[in-house]
Amino acid sequence: MNCRPDALVIGAGIVGAACAAELAACGLTVTIVERHVVGGGATAAGMGHLVVMDDNPAELALTRYSLELWREFVAGRKQQNEYSPCGTLWIAADAEEMAAAAAKQATLATHGIGCELLDAAALYRLEPHLRPGLAGGLRVAGDAIVYPPKSAALLLAQAQQRGAQLLSDDVLAIDAQGVTLASGGRIDAGLVLVANGVACAQLLPELPIQPKKGHVVVTERYPDFIRHQLVELGYIKSAHAGSGDSVAFNLQPRPTGQLLIGSSRQFDRSDTTLDLPMVSRMLAHAAQFVPQLAQLKAIRCWSGVRAASPDGLPLLGPHPGLQPNRTNVWLAVGHEGLGITTALASARLLAAQITAQAAAIDILPYLPARFPAIIDTAPAHA
Amino acid sequence: MKQQFEIVIIGAGPAGLAAAHAVAASGAAIAVIDDNPHAGGQIWRGGPQHSSDARAAQLWSALSQANNVRFFNGAKVLLPSAPGALLVETPDAAFTLGYRKLILATGARERLLPFPGWTLPGVTGAGGIQALAKGGYPVAGKRIVVAGSGPLLLAVAATLKQRGAQVLAIVEQAPLHQVARFALALPATPAKLLQALRLRAELAGIPYHMHSHVLRAEGDEHLTQVLLQIGAKQQSIACDYLACGFGLLPNTETAGALGCTIADGAVQVDRWQQTSVADVYCAGEGTGIGGVDLALAEGRIAGLAAVGDLAQAARHVAGRRRWQGFAARLARAFALREELRQLADPDTIVCRCEDVRHRDLQQHASWRSAKLHTRCGMGPCQGRICGGATDFLYGWSQDSVRVPLTPARIGSLIAADSQE
Amino acid sequence: MPDAIAPETITLFINDRPLTVAAGTSVAAAIAIGGNPVTRLSVTGMPRAPLCGMGICQECRVTIDGQPHQLACQTPCAPQMQVWTAPYKEIT
């Protein structure tokens, strides 16, 4: 075991694994600490959608950059990642959403992201199972899907090939020299990189990370039932709600022929017990877009917890606190529903900052220091 | 749509029918749900009125005349939708059943262990071929090897022979001294002794090999022969079917979804068959494998306890104890030998739903790790077949019970929200 | 008293071929009676047939009257039923 690794990464989900791989590639000695199964947290619970999102310029820059990195990563490894370049089809239910689709098309096109506006006829040619009466949509062909636990395992393997070591343990606390572990030991490290999702709030209570619970249902195999990941443009309305439970239409065709059905959002719920009324509501909403869904068989339902930040952007960079137990802490948390999409870019941006190299995109919007409150509220002692 | 009952019984096998009968006299409104087209469970499959077991016909006769007992056949419990309520699906509908007391009589399934060739058409469970045959599966004139473990193999061989099959051999993994000890203890349960003697007569002429097991099932797209380890020697037998099952496993999933304590793979109950969850009882194989007689005793006690008649329930406790002794002797006699863990070779499929092989699984430390990284357990059997195998091969226990308890129409899950 | 006398035999279609079976026969049994017991192909294309006989293993999944993933071992045959096994998937 590395006795004083340059970097200790907390969490072997997709973000932690990507960071470990990137830091190891930069020549750092890395130890990753994971308390459960690699890729077994939010990484396993989400849909694995690689999607360009343009709610704001910083989100667009990050997702766009990360998707380029994903394309490089899966080249030659498509099957291992269960990668499928199915693209996203944003559904416009009415004229208002059609206008939003057009605006989205303009923004994406400005940034060189290929997409095509679809009228109703074109929409139904592509996806005949959608309910009649929709206005049209926007097809983003470069979006794709992966199976995140496998991608996390691949990234971890990459890290390990470069000398990184995986430790099955739980981090109890971060101090000035490193971390203390549940097993009773401690690891001193040059820096500590926190990449453990919602659990980061246990280690660093000052972080403004809020849990947002979601549900997913997976069906039996129905190959070619739909061809793209279908998302309603109305999704944006629910994703931005400040409070309250909401559902949105999100339907994904997996390479196995199974369908993943999402999505739901519940604030401040950090348990993963199934909320049946939410599942029913989510499925009812989905069936409004694809009526035949009601005839298909669900074989499993589960829930997961996203780690949400106040402005919808992850925290990627040094912890701004001046206390000894924060000065060597780096953060890669708060990815909410874009953890899979932005994992690779997050890793690059962290590695660039840690090794004092130029980053490929502007890092400012994602710096943790943008939340000054966390400097003051961090405890002085571990 | 919600239908409210005083007592809901899940499972119309011996335990469920005995419970229903015990409760019927009270006049309470009773619902009995079963996922098969007819009542009877596995052992009285096809309908208790057709069974040769006189108790089955008696129970059925009494129950069909009781106007407070409603049967829902072809009905699957999807999940507990609310306290005191179950979401149920039939081929044409979904509805909620409300209960004040619930009796779980969900029975058992076979423990099916992987071995080379076990996925070939023509290889079935032992109870599996019996169930299939009772549904009209063509076995007359077919050459069949029955293998695995337990007295079920004898009952299966007898059913097959009655239906005109040519049973070539019965291959029992337990060693002779264990089977003999079990046989010598049978006088403690005279009915069982009689049954054993009858079976022995019926099966005269069929070799019964002990300390023996299947090595391989062979064939191109269908089974054509099996390679057996008979004692110290290997023997190949050409056949049309291999019916192979290694004992029974309690169906505990519904109990688990309700929050009942499960230990050692069985639902934990007190002397009144009550589980750790108030108003939920469990009777029959679900509390531990013990056969039809124990199931009947437990079903009676659960039913009487559920309606508060503890005095009557107490009368059946001694009988239950006797059958529990029988069950314990059964478990000891037919315990699985360690060598059976070596049956699978690296290429042998372990998860049949997702075609995951032994070599893909061996490197994982837990059920969850294997599931996430190999897809083992992600198929529609929801880990019921591979779960028994992976427990035996790798010592994994599964993580929490997931709902729906069976593949469910999405329309049924949507309907759950609108039930009152 | 039943409203109508239940038929003693039932005619149904397995992969578009007619078959007459005794009333009460399961679809799984009818498929086997038809000559080839294979119900589905596994995810890697291996032929499979019923295993557990009691609605658990899911190996007996077939398409019945246009509905895929129906368990043949727990479904009784019905007159004019259309059953398709995976090797002969109905082209819709």
Side-chain angles (χ1 to χ4, degrees):
Chain A
M1 185 56 52
N2 291 325
C3 62
R4 189 182 181 275
D6 297 322
L8 182 113
V9 177
I10 304 177
I14 198 155
V15 173
C19 289
E22 200 56 47
L23 293 176
C26 292
L28 277 71
T29 51
V30 179
T31 296
I32 314 133
V33 182
E34 169 53 55
R35 65 183 175 185
H36 293 314
V37 171
V38 169
T43 298
M47 291 174 93
H49 189 192
L50 300 178
V51 57
V52 169
M53 291 291 289
D54 69 326
D55 294 354
N56 57 68
E59 183 181 68
L60 179 54
L62 189 65
T63 56
R64 177 174 173 246
Y65 174 40
S66 204
L67 249 58
E68 280 168 18
L69 296 175
W70 269 107
R71 279 181 214 113
E72 284 168 28
F73 180 70
V74 301
R77 299 189 190 90
K78 287 192 171 60
Q79 255 206 318
Q80 288 172 291
N81 285 279
E82 292 181 35
Y83 176 84
S84 170
C86 58
T88 305
L89 220 163
W90 293 92
I91 312 287
D94 53 33
E96 187 194 353
E97 289 179 9
M98 204 57 203
K104 199 178 182 68
Q105 196 258 350
T107 307
L108 295 182
T110 309
H111 289 84
I113 296 158
C115 54
E116 58 181 295
L117 215 51
L118 306 167
D119 62 13
L123 181 70
Y124 292 116
R125 265 200 305 276
L126 287 179
E127 297 289 358
H129 287 118
L130 284 167
R131 72 155 168 87
L134 298 167
L138 180 70
R139 181 180 184 215
V140 184
D143 286 351
I145 65 181
V146 286
Y147 176 59
K150 274 214 178 137
S151 303
L154 284 168
L155 288 162
L156 181 66
Q158 244 183 22
Q160 289 170 310
Q161 274 152 34
R162 295 161 182 162
Q165 291 177 347
L166 174 71
L167 186 63
S168 265
D169 208 327
D170 195 2
V171 172
L172 291 182
I174 301 173
D175 55 51
Q177 280 77 42
V179 302
T180 51
L181 302 168
S183 61
R186 63 166 292 106
I187 301 182
D188 287 352
L191 64 91
V192 175
L193 173 52
V194 178
N196 59 351
V198 272
C200 72
Q202 288 155 25
L203 288 173
L204 305 167
E206 70 277 11
L207 293 185
I209 301 298
Q210 294 298 316
K212 259 200 210 173
K213 182 171 175 176
H215 291 85
V216 183
V217 172
V218 69
T219 69
E220 253 277 21
R221 285 168 158 87
Y222 300 95
D224 299 321
F225 184 74
I226 57 164
R227 289 143 212 161
H228 304 78
Q229 176 137 3
L230 305 179
V231 189
E232 61 166 316
L233 280 161
Y235 157 94
I236 299 152
K237 295 172 196 151
S238 97
H240 280 192
S243 65
D245 299 349
S246 63
V247 298
F249 172 59
N250 198 333
L251 187 63
Q252 181 187 97
R254 299 226 40 90
T256 57
Q258 293 170 284
L259 299 168
L260 281 190
I261 311 174
S263 58
S264 75
R265 271 161 187 76
Q266 289 172 282
F267 279 79
D268 296 322
R269 295 280 307 277
S270 53
D271 62 288
T272 53
T273 48
L274 211 66
D275 187 324
L276 183 66
M278 275 309 283
V279 171
S280 294
R281 200 176 138 192
M282 181 180 83
L283 293 175
H285 188 73
Q288 280 173 17
F289 284 84
V290 179
Q292 270 180 271
L293 220 49
Q295 309 309 319
L296 306 189
K297 290 196 175 193
I299 63 174
R300 204 161 56 254
C301 308
W302 66 85
S303 72
V305 185
R306 309 174 185 86
S309 83
D311 57 5
L313 296 172
L315 281 66
L316 304 173
H319 192 300
L322 303 167
Q323 303 84 341
N325 61 3
R326 296 290 185 266
T327 42
N328 275 327
V329 174
W330 292 74
L331 302 171
V333 293
H335 293 80
E336 200 179 334
L338 288 173
I340 312 303
T341 298
T342 64
L344 299 186
S346 298
R348 286 280 174 100
L349 296 186
L350 255 318
Q353 295 178 64
I354 287 168
T355 59
Q357 307 281 329
I361 63 172
D362 182 10
I363 57 171
L364 207 60
Y366 324 106
L367 290 179
R370 72 188 190 272
F371 300 114
I374 68 179
I375 304 171
D376 303 322
T377 58
H381 299 289
Chain B
M1 187 185 47
K2 183 178 186 185
Q3 299 182 59
Q4 183 68 34
F5 292 87
E6 182 75 16
I7 317 266
V8 168
I9 300 172
I10 306 180
L17 295 178
H21 183 242
V23 178
S26 70
I30 304 161
V32 183
I33 324 171
D34 195 283
D35 64 339
N36 288 299
H38 304 284
Q42 305 316 325
I43 197 167
W44 296 337
R45 178 170 273 272
Q49 64 275 42
H50 302 306
S51 170
S52 57
D53 190 330
R55 298 169 296 188
Q58 277 161 22
L59 279 173
W60 187 251
S61 168
L63 286 170
S64 17
Q65 284 164 41
N67 58 12
N68 58 329
V69 181
R70 172 103 187 265
F71 282 87
F72 293 88
N73 293 325
K76 301 192 184 226
V77 175
L78 299 185
L79 45 88
S81 50
L86 301 167
L87 182 64
V88 175
E89 182 184 279
T90 61
D92 304 308
F95 51 89
T96 299
L97 284 182
Y99 60 85
R100 296 224 309 111
K101 306 271 182 179
L102 179 65
I103 302 178
L104 304 174
T106 46
R109 56 179 179 266
E110 279 192 285
R111 181 191 281 109
L112 299 169
L113 299 179
F115 51 87
W118 76 304
T119 56
L120 276 170
V123 178
T124 65
I129 205 161
Q130 186 178 54
L132 290 166
K134 289 184 181 180
Y137 219 72
V139 296
K142 300 278 199 267
R143 301 160 300 162
I144 309 185
V145 172
V146 178
S149 193
L152 178 62
L153 302 189
L154 299 167
V156 168
T159 300
L160 292 173
K161 194 167 176 222
Q162 284 156 22
R163 286 163 187 261
Q166 205 190 339
V167 180
L168 302 176
I170 304 169
V171 183
E172 165 64 60
Q173 60 86 32
L176 167 65
H177 68 268
Q178 265 169 239
V179 178
R181 194 160 60 220
F182 177 74
L184 289 172
L186 282 175
T189 47
K192 285 302 190 197
L193 176 61
L194 206 62
Q195 187 184 28
L197 291 170
R198 255 206 320 268
L199 275 173
R200 193 167 176 283
E202 271 186 74
L203 301 174
I206 300 174
Y208 180 65
H209 304 292
M210 283 159 283
H211 207 278
S212 304
H213 56 270
V214 176
L215 288 170
R216 268 205 307 275
E218 293 166 346
D220 208 3
E221 304 232 307
H222 194 283
L223 178 73
T224 52
Q225 63 182 30
V226 294
L227 181 67
L228 303 169
Q229 184 74 41
I230 307 289
K233 294 204 277 228
Q234 291 188 1
Q235 184 188 347
S236 204
I237 302 186
C239 57
D240 304 305
Y241 286 100
L242 168 64
C244 184
F246 293 89
L248 301 176
L249 296 168
N251 289 328
T252 60
E253 286 76 18
T254 308
L258 288 159
C260 303
T261 302
I262 317 282
D264 297 324
V267 182
Q268 299 297 290
V269 292
D270 65 13
R271 73 186 309 242
W272 305 120
Q273 304 295 143
Q274 189 162 220
T275 68
S276 61
V277 174
D279 300 328
V280 178
Y281 298 77
C282 187
E285 308 283 63
T287 65
I289 305 304
V292 61
D293 307 273
L294 181 56
L296 290 167
E298 290 192 353
R300 264 179 230 120
I301 293 170
L304 292 165
V307 293
D309 193 347
L310 297 184
Q312 270 281 53
R315 292 207 177 95
H316 300 282
V317 168
R320 179 180 63 187
R321 195 175 309 119
R322 185 160 20 100
W323 292 114
Q324 282 168 339
F326 172 78
R329 290 194 292 281
L330 191 79
R332 275 195 304 270
F334 297 97
L336 297 182
R337 284 161 34 227
E338 289 297 307
E339 291 111 284
L340 299 175
R341 285 185 227 279
Q342 315 303 325
L343 279 185
D345 70 21
D347 270 336
T348 304
I349 300 249
V350 176
C351 166
R352 297 172 67 119
C353 292
E354 301 290 330
D355 283 3
V356 186
R357 295 171 194 266
H358 185 34
R359 64 171 136 76
D360 301 321
L361 294 169
Q362 286 168 301
Q363 54 189 270
H364 289 276
S366 68
W367 170 262
R368 180 159 172 77
S369 173
K371 183 169 150 191
L372 283 187
H373 293 288
T374 70
R375 298 186 57 83
C376 175
M378 281 195 180
C381 96
Q382 301 174 317
R384 286 180 177 82
I385 301 296
C386 54
T390 56
D391 182 28
F392 186 68
L393 290 174
Y394 319 117
W396 298 340
S397 42
Q398 293 184 41
D399 46 22
S400 53
V401 178
R402 294 237 195 251
V403 291
L405 291 163
T406 185
R409 281 191 309 274
I410 286 169
S412 305
L413 298 175
I414 291 171
D417 203 23
S418 54
Q419 311 286 335
E420 261 322 284
Chain C
M1 196 68 177
D3 288 344
I5 313 283
E8 284 176 6
T9 62
I10 290 173
T11 299
L12 69 160
F13 296 87
I14 312 285
N15 300 324
D16 223 16
R17 292 167 72 189
L19 185 72
T20 301
V21 298
T25 302
S26 71
V27 172
I31 293 166
I33 290 167
N36 181 357
V38 172
T39 42
R40 65 178 279 259
L41 298 179
S42 78
V43 297
T44 59
M46 306 157 67
R48 298 284 173 85
L51 175 74
C52 79
M54 51 188 74
I56 290 171
C57 72
Q58 312 285 313
E59 293 285 28
C60 66
R61 281 172 283 161
V62 293
T63 298
I64 299 179
D65 293 337
Q67 293 293 326
H69 306 303
Q70 304 301 302
L71 300 184
C73 75
Q74 285 189 318
T75 309
C77 292
Q80 304 307 305
M81 197 181 240
Q82 294 276 354
V83 176
W84 292 89
T85 65
Y88 305 95
K89 238 191 306 220
E90 187 183 16
I91 316 291
T92 41

